[in-house]
Amino acid sequence: MAGRTVLVTGGAGFIGSHLCLRLFDEGNNVICLDNYFTGRNDNFGERYGELISSKRFEFVRHDIVESIVLEADQIYHLACPASPVHYQYNPVKTIKTNVIGTYHVLGLAKRIKARLLLASTSEVYGNPQVHPQSEDYWGNVNPIGVRSCYDEGKRVAETLVCDYRRQDGLDTRIARIFNTYGPNMSVDDGRVMSNFICQALRSEPITIYGDGEQTRSFCYVSDLIEGLRRLMDSDFMEPVNLGNDRELSMLELVQAIEKVVGRRLEIKKMPLPQDDPSRRRPDLARARKILNYEPKVTLEEGLSRTVEYFSRVLGVKKS
Ligand code: NAD
Ligand code: UDP
């Protein structure tokens, strides 16, 4: 294959599928590697036929807990379930994916001299005691809780990336991704955006965990993809927060969805899960300075596109 070849691990997942399409549309050769735990080829929608018949796109079914040899110039390493429901389903597997899987992907990058970008997470900050969170904050993470397989797994993944950079001179990038949403999230994903929107569309009560005062800052997926592309093409090797810095409580999120669906929604309070972070907002100063990154899609616009997507998937009208 002529041209640049880009490997995307976790390429059939929510973020991975958007990234694969963006890279393909830029003219790259794309290898989409996935074990299909939470990913699906349906995420490529009507483009699937075009991809499967293209010489520039390859689907590889593989679990990165096992090593693999491939040729690529760049690697976006996204493979890992991101929803608490999915990563807690088999926590030992989640740790293996983050630690052994990342070790294998780094070994591959070293062998083939590829640049590697790790999809890390705001979860490395745990339940933060500093607000908003900037990259120099070391976090407040419970090492033995139900979220630890993911949080600590990603922290070790970052450590591995930095040690391979220092020890072997690997060309690496670390993106600390904050809550991202948009089309291709699974209906049964369990994360707040898909839960609330699907509940609203099905006229079911909205399940608020705890008092609903906890906050998150939601980034529409196209803004995140732009940030990932800019980071990969930069020469900056320290971690960079990527997301949207508009912060809102879960109760405010319900109100924003009410505006999009055009009706009041019934709320059902449920227990707050263990170690659920109470506040989260990215400090984007570094991304703005180094990458000239600026999230563009407003919450209202992003929600309306996501409601549109789920109403198509569920086959129900929004109001
Ligand atoms: P997702 O669950 O939709 O995608 C993850 C993909 O990785 C899936 O296709 C899954 O099948 C695949 N996968 C999981 N384990 C694997 C393994 N052992 N081998 C090969 N493939 C495997 O999640 P997402 O939201 O698209 O997240 C993608 C990445 O971004 C993850 O690394 C996640 O930690 C990170 N991230 C996401 C968010 C977010 O809000 N979506 C926030 C922070 C970080
Ligand atoms: N949440 C909620 N109802 C749901 C799902 C999640 O109130 O049906 C809350 C959850 O407790 C958390 C926030 O929404 O405070 C974001 O949860 P999500 O699982 O989307 O992401 P994370 O906690 O990993 O940021």
Side-chain angles (χ1 to χ4, degrees):
M1 288 196 288
R4 182 171 65 182
T5 299
V6 187
L7 167 65
V8 182
T9 75
F14 159 50
I15 295 172
S17 54
H18 288 276
L19 180 61
C20 283
L21 279 174
R22 165 83 184 255
L23 291 164
F24 181 75
D25 289 340
E26 286 174 6
N28 298 291
N29 305 309
V30 178
I31 305 173
C32 168
L33 179 150
D34 211 291
N35 71 348
Y36 295 97
F37 172 48
T38 50
R40 352 169 236 142
N41 286 340
D42 280 355
N43 282 339
F44 297 102
E46 57 195 25
R47 304 281 311 269
Y48 182 66
E50 177 195 350
L51 298 178
I52 200 120
S53 58
S54 170
K55 287 196 175 69
R56 288 197 296 110
F57 203 97
E58 211 173 320
F59 289 94
V60 176
R61 180 183 286 269
H62 181 78
D63 192 313
I64 50 148
V65 170
E66 305 298 328
S67 65
I68 188 163
V69 180
L70 287 165
E71 290 301 329
D73 304 297
Q74 293 186 342
I75 303 173
Y76 288 85
H77 177 36
L78 272 60
C80 177
S83 152
V85 174
H86 291 143
Y87 70 64
Q88 288 168 25
Y89 171 74
N90 184 344
V92 174
K93 174 73 192 213
T94 301
I95 298 181
K96 284 165 85 176
T97 295
N98 274 320
V99 180
I100 302 171
T102 301
Y103 163 72
H104 284 146
V105 177
L106 281 161
L108 173 67
K110 179 179 166 186
R111 180 181 174 147
I112 62 176
K113 298 190 173 51
R115 178 178 289 185
L116 176 138
L117 182 150
L118 171 72
S120 185
T121 169
S122 53
E123 296 281 328
V124 299
Y125 302 122
N127 192 2
Q129 290 167 329
V130 169
H131 195 77
Q133 295 78 54
S134 66
E135 292 86 349
D136 51 16
Y137 177 50
W138 289 353
N140 176 36
V141 177
N142 176 0
I144 56 167
V146 293
R147 294 175 84 101
S148 313
C149 58
Y150 184 75
D151 302 7
E152 295 286 23
K154 288 284 185 181
R155 285 166 70 95
V156 174
E158 286 198 13
T159 309
L160 276 169
V161 166
C162 292
D163 281 332
Y164 266 90
R165 169 166 61 79
R166 284 185 286 256
Q167 195 173 319
D168 296 296
L170 240 69
D171 187 14
T172 56
R173 308 287 180 270
I174 297 175
R176 290 192 179 147
I177 302 171
F178 283 65
N179 297 66
T180 300
Y181 72 104
N184 293 2
M185 291 185 94
S186 303
V187 170
D188 63 354
D189 186 280
R191 281 178 278 191
V192 70
M193 272 293 185
S194 40
N195 274 10
F196 283 9
I197 294 175
C198 293
Q199 287 160 349
L201 290 170
R202 288 166 163 155
S203 300
E204 289 167 6
I206 306 295
T207 53
I208 292 222
Y209 301 162
D211 60 10
E213 298 292 346
Q214 70 270 39
T215 66
R216 295 293 186 271
S217 308
F218 295 97
C219 181
Y220 189 70
V221 64
S222 57
D223 283 331
L224 178 78
I225 299 297
E226 182 62 31
L228 292 175
R229 288 290 298 108
R230 284 175 188 237
L231 179 59
M232 181 62 114
D233 287 351
S234 78
D235 55 10
F236 194 75
M237 301 228 200
E238 299 298 315
V240 179
N241 288 340
L242 291 177
N244 185 312
D245 49 7
R246 175 168 168 194
E247 179 182 359
L248 71 164
S249 71
M250 297 311 104
L251 286 167
E252 288 168 330
L253 176 61
V254 177
Q255 288 164 7
I257 296 173
E258 282 178 337
K259 283 201 184 123
V260 175
V261 296
R263 64 196 153 80
R264 293 298 304 275
L265 299 168
E266 188 194 333
I267 284 175
K268 178 175 156 192
K269 292 255 170 90
M270 312 242 314
L272 189 69
Q274 189 198 349
D275 293 336
D276 199 279
S278 53
R279 296 182 79 187
R280 185 184 290 152
R281 171 157 63 97
D283 179 333
L284 294 176
R286 184 177 280 182
R288 287 192 169 107
K289 182 161 176 260
I290 308 280
L291 310 176
N292 201 16
Y293 168 80
E294 192 59 51
K296 297 233 160 44
V297 182
T298 62
L299 180 74
E300 292 70 22
E301 176 59 27
L303 276 180
S304 118
R305 290 187 208 169
T306 311
V307 166
E308 190 69 36
Y309 169 78
F310 278 118
S311 57
R312 244 185 302 119
V313 170
L314 296 174
V316 290
K317 291 221 168 65
K318 77 173 184 188
S319 46

